Coordinates of all heavy atoms in Angstrom, one line a residue:
Chain A
K2 N 0.5 2.2 -0.9 CA 1.3 3.4 -0.9 C 1.0 4.3 0.3 O -0.1 4.2 0.9 CB 0.9 4.3 -2.1 CG 1.3 3.6 -3.5 CD 0.8 4.5 -4.6 CE 1.1 3.9 -6.0 NZ 0.7 4.7 -7.1
Y32 N 3.1 18.4 7.4 CA 2.9 19.5 6.4 C 2.2 18.9 5.2 O 2.5 17.8 4.8 CB 4.3 20.0 6.0 CG 5.0 20.7 7.1 CD1 5.9 20.0 7.9 CD2 4.9 22.1 7.3 CE1 6.6 20.6 9.0 CE2 5.6 22.7 8.4 CZ 6.4 21.9 9.2 OH 7.1 22.5 10.2
M34 N 0.8 19.7 1.3 CA 0.8 20.7 0.2 C 0.0 20.2 -0.9 O -0.2 19.0 -1.1 CB 2.3 20.8 -0.3 CG 3.2 21.7 0.6 SD 3.6 21.1 2.2 CE 4.6 19.6 1.9
Y36 N 0.1 20.8 -5.1 CA 0.8 21.4 -6.3 C -0.1 21.2 -7.5 O -0.9 20.3 -7.6 CB 2.1 20.6 -6.6 CG 3.2 20.9 -5.6 CD1 3.3 20.3 -4.4 CD2 4.2 21.8 -6.0 CE1 4.3 20.5 -3.5 CE2 5.3 22.0 -5.1 CZ 5.3 21.4 -3.9 OH 6.3 21.7 -3.0
Q38 N 0.0 21.1 -11.7 CA 1.0 20.8 -12.8 C 0.2 20.8 -14.1 O -0.6 20.0 -14.4 CB 1.7 19.4 -12.6 CG 2.8 19.2 -13.6 CD 3.5 17.9 -13.3 OE1 3.0 17.0 -12.6 NE2 4.7 17.8 -13.8
R41 N 3.2 19.1 -19.4 CA 4.6 19.3 -19.8 C 5.2 20.5 -19.1 O 6.1 21.1 -19.6 CB 4.6 19.5 -21.3 CG 4.1 18.3 -22.1 CD 4.2 18.5 -23.6 NE 5.6 18.2 -24.1 CZ 6.0 17.0 -24.4 NH1 5.2 15.9 -24.3 NH2 7.2 16.8 -24.8
K42 N 4.8 20.8 -17.9 CA 5.4 21.8 -17.0 C 5.8 21.2 -15.7 O 5.4 20.1 -15.4 CB 4.4 23.0 -16.8 CG 3.9 23.6 -18.1 CD 5.0 24.4 -18.7 CE 4.4 25.2 -19.9 NZ 5.5 26.0 -20.6
G43 N 6.5 22.0 -14.9 CA 6.9 21.6 -13.6 C 5.7 21.8 -12.6 O 4.9 22.7 -12.8
P44 N 5.7 21.0 -11.5 CA 4.7 21.3 -10.4 C 4.9 22.7 -9.8 O 6.0 23.1 -9.6 CB 5.0 20.2 -9.4 CG 5.8 19.2 -10.1 CD 6.6 19.9 -11.2
Y49 N -0.4 25.3 1.1 CA 0.1 24.4 2.1 C -0.6 24.6 3.4 O -1.0 25.7 3.7 CB 1.6 24.5 2.2 CG 2.1 25.5 3.1 CD1 2.4 25.2 4.4 CD2 2.3 26.8 2.7 CE1 2.9 26.2 5.3 CE2 2.7 27.8 3.6 CZ 3.0 27.5 4.9 OH 3.4 28.5 5.8
D92 N 4.8 15.9 4.3 CA 6.1 15.9 4.9 C 6.0 15.7 6.4 O 5.2 16.3 7.0 CB 6.8 17.3 4.6 CG 8.3 17.4 5.0 OD1 8.8 16.3 5.4 OD2 8.8 18.5 5.0
R96 N 12.2 16.9 5.9 CA 12.8 17.3 4.7 C 12.6 16.3 3.5 O 13.4 16.3 2.6 CB 14.2 17.7 4.8 CG 14.5 18.7 5.9 CD 15.9 19.0 6.0 NE 16.1 20.1 7.0 CZ 17.3 20.7 7.3 NH1 18.3 20.4 6.6 NH2 17.4 21.6 8.2
L98 N 9.6 15.0 1.0 CA 8.2 15.0 0.6 C 7.7 13.7 0.0 O 8.5 13.0 -0.7 CB 7.9 16.1 -0.5 CG 8.0 17.5 -0.1 CD1 7.6 18.4 -1.3 CD2 7.2 17.9 1.1
F100 N 4.7 12.3 -2.3 CA 3.7 12.7 -3.3 C 2.6 11.7 -3.5 O 2.9 10.5 -3.6 CB 4.3 13.1 -4.6 CG 5.1 14.4 -4.6 CD1 6.4 14.5 -4.2 CD2 4.5 15.6 -4.9 CE1 7.1 15.7 -4.1 CE2 5.1 16.8 -4.9 CZ 6.5 16.8 -4.5
Chain B
Y35 N 14.0 14.7 -8.7 CA 12.9 13.8 -8.7 C 12.8 13.2 -10.1 O 13.1 13.9 -11.1 CB 11.5 14.4 -8.4 CG 11.4 14.9 -7.0 CD1 11.8 16.2 -6.6 CD2 10.8 14.1 -6.0 CE1 11.6 16.6 -5.3 CE2 10.6 14.5 -4.7 CZ 11.0 15.8 -4.3 OH 10.8 16.2 -3.0
Q37 N 9.5 11.6 -12.5 CA 8.1 11.5 -12.5 C 7.7 10.5 -13.6 O 8.0 10.7 -14.8 CB 7.4 12.8 -12.8 CG 5.9 12.8 -12.7 CD 5.2 14.1 -12.8 OE1 5.7 15.0 -13.6 NE2 4.2 14.4 -12.1
G40 N 1.6 7.1 -13.2 CA 1.0 6.2 -12.2 C 1.9 6.1 -10.9 O 1.4 5.6 -9.9
L43 N 5.8 11.5 -8.3 CA 7.2 12.0 -8.1 C 8.0 11.2 -7.1 O 7.5 11.0 -6.0 CB 7.2 13.5 -7.7 CG 6.8 14.5 -8.8 CD1 6.1 15.7 -8.2 CD2 8.0 14.8 -9.6
N50 N 21.2 19.0 1.2 CA 20.7 20.0 2.2 C 21.5 21.3 2.2 O 21.0 22.3 2.6 CB 20.7 19.4 3.6 CG 19.6 18.3 3.8 OD1 18.5 18.4 3.2 ND2 19.9 17.3 4.6
F90 N 12.7 16.3 -12.6 CA 12.5 17.6 -12.1 C 13.5 17.9 -11.0 O 13.7 17.1 -10.1 CB 11.1 17.7 -11.5 CG 10.0 17.7 -12.6 CD1 9.3 16.6 -12.8 CD2 9.7 18.9 -13.3 CE1 8.3 16.6 -13.8 CE2 8.7 18.9 -14.2 CZ 8.0 17.8 -14.5
N96 N 16.3 26.4 3.3 CA 16.7 25.8 4.5 C 16.1 24.4 4.7 O 15.8 23.9 5.8 CB 16.4 26.6 5.8 CG 17.1 27.9 5.7 OD1 18.3 27.9 5.4 ND2 16.5 29.0 6.1
G97 N 15.8 23.7 3.6 CA 15.2 22.4 3.7 C 13.8 22.3 4.2 O 13.4 21.2 4.5
P99 N 9.6 22.4 4.0 CA 8.7 21.5 3.2 C 8.2 22.2 1.9 O 7.7 21.5 1.1 CB 7.5 21.3 4.2 CG 7.5 22.5 5.1 CD 8.9 22.8 5.3
L100 N 8.4 23.5 1.8 CA 7.9 24.1 0.6 C 8.9 24.1 -0.5 O 9.9 24.8 -0.5 CB 7.5 25.6 0.9 CG 6.5 25.7 2.0 CD1 6.1 27.2 2.2 CD2 5.3 24.9 1.8
Q101 N 8.7 23.2 -1.5 CA 9.7 23.0 -2.5 C 9.2 23.6 -3.8 O 8.0 23.5 -4.1 CB 10.0 21.5 -2.7 CG 10.6 20.8 -1.5 CD 11.0 19.4 -1.8 OE1 11.0 18.9 -2.9 NE2 11.3 18.7 -0.7
F103 N 9.8 23.9 -8.0 CA 10.2 23.0 -9.0 C 10.7 23.7 -10.3 O 10.1 24.8 -10.6 CB 9.1 22.0 -9.4 CG 9.0 20.9 -8.4 CD1 8.3 21.2 -7.2 CD2 9.5 19.7 -8.6 CE1 8.1 20.2 -6.3 CE2 9.3 18.7 -7.7 CZ 8.7 18.9 -6.5
G104 N 11.6 23.1 -11.0 CA 12.0 23.6 -12.3 C 11.0 23.0 -13.4 O 10.1 22.3 -13.1
R108 N 12.8 16.1 -20.1 CA 12.2 14.8 -20.6 C 13.3 14.0 -21.3 O 13.8 14.3 -22.3 CB 11.1 15.2 -21.6 CG 10.1 14.1 -22.0 CD 9.0 14.7 -22.8 NE 8.1 15.6 -22.0 CZ 7.1 15.2 -21.3 NH1 6.7 13.9 -21.4 NH2 6.4 16.0 -20.6

Side-chain angles (χ1 to χ4, degrees):
Chain A
K2 293 180 182 178
Y32 297 88
M34 279 68 68
Y36 286 82
Q38 186 175 23
R41 303 182 78 88
K42 301 290 187 183
Y49 86 95
D92 185 9
R96 306 180 176 188
L98 292 187
F100 284 86
Chain B
Y35 292 88
Q37 187 175 38
L43 285 154
N50 288 329
F90 289 101
N96 296 321
L100 305 184
Q101 295 185 13
F103 285 78
R108 193 169 293 268

